[in-house]
């Protein structure tokens, strides 16, 4: 059975032309909607993610962007049990680094997400980063991936991998998702 995708947006809830929103409609994904998508509060945002996970049956794959990546890692730190076990993997795209002074200066609301948990995630993850992301350096992205036990892949000079950097449909992301799903989903059991 194919896992259900859960979209975990960052600040602003990823607008109508953002690849997360396009994927939600294309793949029939569930979506985490924060009460205040401009003001992240780790425990509150993680609790909303938990609500969506609890309400969604079956195996799940989390697809997070920017501050949504922090939401996933905070949720993983706070959660336990069966809901966590149903997460087959997470695609973590363009994490926003709230501990980077320049990022925090431009977006002080991100400071609430610091410090980012650095424990190994209890499910496989693929972190996709950009060489010229204004919200996270490649070195920091690779260090986060290492701490979280995630595979890391560079998307090249792709900005923040959002609409402003020219990523609407983001076909390369769909390829990465497909490859990750193949790796995370156990093969069907064939009974003879």
């Amino acid at each position: 059975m194919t896992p259900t995708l859960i979209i975990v947006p960052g600040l602003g809830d990823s607008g109508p032309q953002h690849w997360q929103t396009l994927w939600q409609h294309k793949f029939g994904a569930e979506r985490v909607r924060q009460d205040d998508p401009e003001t992240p509060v780790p425990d509150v945002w993680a609790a909303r993610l938990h609500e969506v996970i609890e309400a969604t049956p079956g195996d799940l794959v989390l697809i997070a962007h920017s501050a949504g990546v922090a939401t996933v890692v905070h949720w993983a730190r706070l959660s336990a049990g069966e809901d966590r076990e149903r997460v087959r993997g997470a695609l973590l795209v363009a994490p926003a680094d709230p501990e980077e002074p320049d990022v925090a200066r431009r977006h002080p609301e991100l400071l609430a997400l610091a410090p980012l948990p650095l424990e190994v995630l209890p499910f496989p993850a693929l972190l996709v980063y950009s060489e010229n992301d204004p919200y996270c350096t490649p070195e920091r992205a690779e260090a986060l991936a290492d701490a979280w036990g995630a595979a890391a892949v560079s998307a090249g000079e792709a900005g923040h991998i959002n609409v402003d950097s020219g990523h609407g449909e983001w076909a390369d992301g769909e390829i990465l998702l497909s490859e990750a799903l193949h790796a995370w989903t156990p093969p069907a059991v064939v009974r003879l």
Side-chain angles (χ1 to χ4, degrees):
M1 173 180 243
T2 303
T4 299
L5 306 180
I6 295 181
I7 302 293
V8 188
L11 293 179
D13 193 41
S14 298
Q17 298 306 311
H18 193 285
W19 59 267
Q20 282 189 306
T21 303
L22 298 173
W23 285 14
Q24 176 189 356
H25 299 298
K26 184 174 187 174
F27 301 124
E30 297 297 323
R31 185 185 192 99
V32 177
R33 294 198 185 274
Q34 302 294 347
D35 289 335
D36 185 353
E38 299 298 338
T39 309
V41 177
D43 292 356
V44 172
W45 281 29
R48 179 55 53 87
L49 171 56
H50 188 75
E51 289 172 8
V52 174
I53 288 171
E54 279 189 316
T56 307
D59 292 343
L60 311 170
V61 169
L62 308 178
I63 301 177
H65 178 260
S66 191
V69 172
T71 300
V72 168
V73 296
H74 279 289
W75 173 79
R77 175 181 55 86
L78 296 168
S79 69
E82 185 179 307
D83 288 329
R84 223 165 81 158
E85 293 170 9
R86 293 188 303 119
V87 175
R88 292 290 165 240
L91 182 64
L92 308 173
V93 181
D97 183 2
E99 297 171 51
E100 165 58 42
D102 188 48
V103 171
R105 188 171 32 263
R106 286 182 288 125
H107 292 281
E109 63 275 16
L110 291 173
L111 281 171
L113 297 171
L116 289 174
L118 297 177
E119 294 85 20
V120 173
L121 293 171
F123 41 76
L126 174 62
L127 189 147
V128 182
Y129 66 92
S130 168
E131 299 292 334
N132 62 343
D133 190 338
Y135 294 93
C136 189
T137 66
E139 296 78 19
R140 175 67 167 164
E142 289 183 1
L144 290 172
D146 187 54
W148 297 334
V153 64
S154 170
E157 292 189 358
H160 194 48
I161 312 178
N162 60 4
V163 174
D164 291 344
S165 62
H167 296 85
E169 291 284 338
W170 196 34
D172 289 344
E174 286 188 42
I175 293 168
L176 290 170
L177 175 61
S178 176
E179 291 171 353
L181 284 172
H182 181 73
W184 298 334
T185 306
V189 174
V190 177
R191 300 202 191 284
L192 300 175

